[in-house]
Amino acid sequence: MKFYLQVYGCQMNVYEAGIIRQILNRAGIEETENESAADVLLMITCSVRKHAEMRALGRLRMFSAQKKNDPKKIIGVLGCMAQRLGEELISEHDVDLVVGPDNYSVIPELIKKLQNGDAPGTVLSLTGECYSDIYPVAQNHATATVIAMRGCSNFCSYCIVPYVKGPERSRPLKNILLEIKQLIDKGIKEITLLGQNILAYKNDGIDFVALLRSVSEINGLKRVRFLTSHPKDLNEKVLAAIRSLPHLCPQLHLPLQSGSNRILELMNRHYTREEYLDKVTMARDLIPDLSLTTDIIVGFPTETEEDFNATLDVVAKVKFDFAYMFKFSPRPGTKAADFTPPVPPAEASRRLSELIKIQNQITLDSNRAMIGKEYELLIEAKSPRGKGSLGRTRHGKVVILDEPFTPGNLVNVMITEIRGWTPVGKIIRR
Ligand code: 5AD
Ligand code: SF4
């Protein structure tokens, strides 16, 4: 029996796809890249914005078309959108199995039941699952992600995550360390610890800083990063750990969401623009080469031109190295879905384009500022065009090299130019 798996969504989903692969492999079901050869067509999905769900529904129509030709095929929707839409996916979209983020372990059994003639069904209990002792197959040759905590209990008013992933809970330290050691044995050099709200990590008396300390002591590991930090939980202890522990990379992903205090309050973010800016100053004072990335939402209900300008003002002050920027997308069931008045879509689009234009220039300037400086690169892949390779600096910037290097190698380069958006490096010593 063979399965095909389409992955949508965040890094967490990419990681969880590895868990699903492991669960299916253990049950003797093999992966295929060829949809028409697959007995089971699966997709792991995202619900964070409507656009993400529309894409998945589009792909689902292609799965259904395959099933018309071969009615024995089983179609499964997994992850956040499965959790959010449930039964509706069966009644309206021809899906056979609908499995929420906490229930992946039951997939093989459900497949067997469906093949024995059982009716389509959903498994959607939020059980607090952590998949603690399932170790996904390594995703690539140099870097890997490892889940440290799952779920979120913050309830930002726009966000569907707490509803589809359940409350936050942390994975035991011993499983995290074991997984990282296994990855290092396979040649992985860099680990990104994942969690919707990673700074809230807490398991059996071990807090986030203690976790960082243990991870940074693992032999053979060269770089450690983590995602995502909520500004309200960022403190001096965490920053001091980044600065002092070996292998911790000078990088923080610190979602701003809005620069207007009124909107931040409506978003239930638990910080003000002043507190955010103070934390950025504290972080940059402690870690001078810190790279800062962020997420920003424009067009949140009631957002005025003044609120939007307050966001642009923070963007201009902080000068993020990179930002993910979104138009507000109402998610049914969240508080903000009922906030009024909404910002007219054309106005929200205008604000988004303006923000993107400003941030793009800042990103380009921050890349240009690398010219003439030396960096250590971890080679991650071949460059998509040409014979060269792609590497990443410790502060998280991708650099093009015109020479081929094997993924996993560490090399030192000098940045000589910017090609399109991307810095280009020349080797200075091997
Ligand atoms: N609409 C738009 N963007 C959203 N995000 C989360 N929920 C929504 C929503 N309803 C964004 C936030 C978050 C990122 C992962 O997605 O910026 O940090
Ligand atoms: Fe959503 Fe807020 Fe949790 Fe991030 S911290 S996932 S924005 S609820």
Side-chain angles (χ1 to χ4, degrees):
M1 212 183 348
K2 289 196 168 65
F3 72 95
Y4 173 89
L5 178 60
Q6 172 83 50
V7 183
Y8 289 115
C10 59
Q11 279 181 288
M12 194 73 95
N13 269 14
V14 175
Y15 178 92
E16 292 194 358
I19 290 181
I20 294 162
R21 290 188 174 103
Q22 193 68 283
I23 289 169
L24 290 169
N25 287 344
R26 278 184 194 173
I29 310 176
E30 268 175 55
E31 183 163 15
T32 170
E33 312 252 302
N34 175 0
E35 273 171 71
S36 48
D39 308 280
V40 188
L41 298 170
L42 298 172
M43 65 169 79
I44 175 166
T45 56
C46 171
S47 273
V48 88
R49 281 169 295 276
K50 187 174 180 198
H51 178 73
E53 292 193 345
M54 297 311 288
R55 265 180 71 200
L57 290 176
R59 189 78 176 91
L60 206 47
R61 281 192 288 276
M62 293 164 78
F63 280 6
S64 289
Q66 296 252 353
K67 193 173 164 175
K68 293 243 157 52
N69 295 334
D70 179 1
K72 285 203 300 296
K73 273 199 193 332
I74 291 172
I75 298 180
V77 176
L78 318 173
C80 294
M81 194 172 121
Q83 190 70 33
R84 199 180 84 73
L85 295 178
E87 197 66 42
E88 184 185 321
L89 288 165
I90 297 175
S91 57
E92 288 177 31
H93 300 278
D94 202 19
V95 176
D96 301 296
L97 89 116
V98 179
V99 176
D102 284 0
N103 311 104
Y104 300 142
S105 303
V106 305
I107 298 172
E109 193 187 316
L110 289 178
I111 292 174
K112 206 182 290 165
K113 284 189 177 161
L114 283 162
Q115 286 183 325
N116 289 337
D118 272 25
T122 61
V123 186
L124 302 170
S125 45
L126 287 171
T127 58
E129 178 64 79
C130 263
Y131 304 107
S132 288
D133 46 14
I134 297 180
Y135 304 101
V137 210
Q139 303 118 335
N140 51 42
H141 299 296
T143 66
T145 55
V146 171
I147 281 208
M149 57 90 65
R150 293 181 90 234
C152 183
S153 305
N154 282 333
F155 289 94
C156 304
S157 63
Y158 50 81
C159 188
I160 195 71
V161 168
Y163 304 91
V164 291
K165 287 245 163 166
E168 63 196 28
R169 64 273 185 185
S170 301
R171 191 177 175 195
L173 179 67
K174 69 169 192 328
N175 300 103
I176 298 175
L177 296 181
L178 189 62
E179 181 164 336
I180 296 176
K181 283 176 188 153
Q182 290 180 1
L183 288 165
I184 290 172
D185 288 345
K186 292 187 183 125
I188 296 292
K189 301 286 187 334
E190 175 181 310
I191 294 292
T192 301
L193 296 168
L194 293 183
Q196 249 91 28
N197 193 15
I198 189 91
L199 300 184
Y201 178 89
K202 195 145 197 77
N203 186 289
D204 204 13
I206 311 275
D207 67 3
F208 180 63
V209 170
L211 167 67
L212 283 184
R213 198 171 297 129
S214 301
V215 169
S216 74
E217 282 165 3
I218 299 177
N219 261 338
L221 187 57
K222 301 286 187 210
R223 293 175 171 190
V224 183
R225 310 179 192 279
F226 55 87
L227 281 174
T228 289
S229 302
H230 194 303
K232 76 176 163 56
D233 298 319
L234 183 67
N235 57 36
E236 205 168 338
K237 231 179 113 194
V238 172
L239 295 169
I242 302 179
R243 180 165 83 165
S244 63
L245 291 173
H247 314 310
L248 264 115
C249 292
Q251 184 191 10
L252 274 179
H253 184 66
L254 201 62
L256 167 68
Q257 311 300 4
S258 170
S260 151
N261 283 338
R262 194 181 64 81
I263 297 292
L264 285 170
E265 171 96 43
L266 284 176
M267 287 178 162
N268 193 32
R269 290 289 287 174
H270 298 286
Y271 56 85
T272 61
R273 61 182 272 127
E274 291 78 16
E275 283 162 349
Y276 187 94
L277 288 168
D278 283 350
K279 292 208 176 176
V280 167
T281 306
M282 173 168 75
R284 285 188 167 148
D285 284 349
L286 281 167
I287 311 160
D289 53 347
L290 183 72
S291 159
L292 263 182
T293 56
T294 200
D295 297 340
I296 299 173
I297 299 174
V298 301
F300 189 81
T302 82
E303 186 188 69
T304 61
E305 196 63 22
E306 196 185 338
D307 295 316
F308 174 61
N309 285 332
T311 298
L312 294 184
D313 183 60
V314 175
V315 166
K317 284 198 165 85
V318 175
K319 297 198 164 54
F320 295 103
D321 291 85
F322 186 82
Y324 297 92
M325 297 163 278
F326 311 104
K327 235 185 315 181
F328 171 71
S329 168
R331 304 285 61 220
T334 62
K335 286 218 171 89
D338 300 325
F339 289 174
T340 51
V343 173
E347 178 56 22
S349 298
R350 183 198 62 80
R351 289 180 195 170
L352 182 63
S353 322
E354 192 174 333
L355 173 65
I356 289 175
K357 203 169 124 208
I358 291 170
Q359 179 55 47
N360 279 354
Q361 187 59 47
I362 296 172
T363 301
L364 188 60
D365 289 346
S366 108
N367 290 353
R368 284 206 183 116
M370 293 170 69
I371 294 175
K373 295 194 185 131
E374 293 179 17
Y375 294 92
E376 177 202 80
L377 290 189
L378 175 62
I379 305 298
E380 290 189 358
K382 283 188 191 150
S383 55
R385 288 177 295 271
K387 295 192 186 70
S389 28
L390 294 180
R392 198 180 293 269
T393 66
R394 282 172 46 79
H395 67 310
K397 293 268 192 188
V398 172
V399 172
I400 303 173
L401 284 170
D402 285 328
E403 296 168 74
F405 284 99
T406 312
N409 275 5
L410 285 164
V411 297
N412 290 305
V413 300
M414 160 88 81
I415 304 302
T416 54
E417 58 174 313
I418 302 292
R419 197 174 290 163
W421 284 88
T422 319
V424 179
K426 287 256 176 313
I427 299 293
I428 47 179
R429 29 176 200 278
R430 293 182 197 223

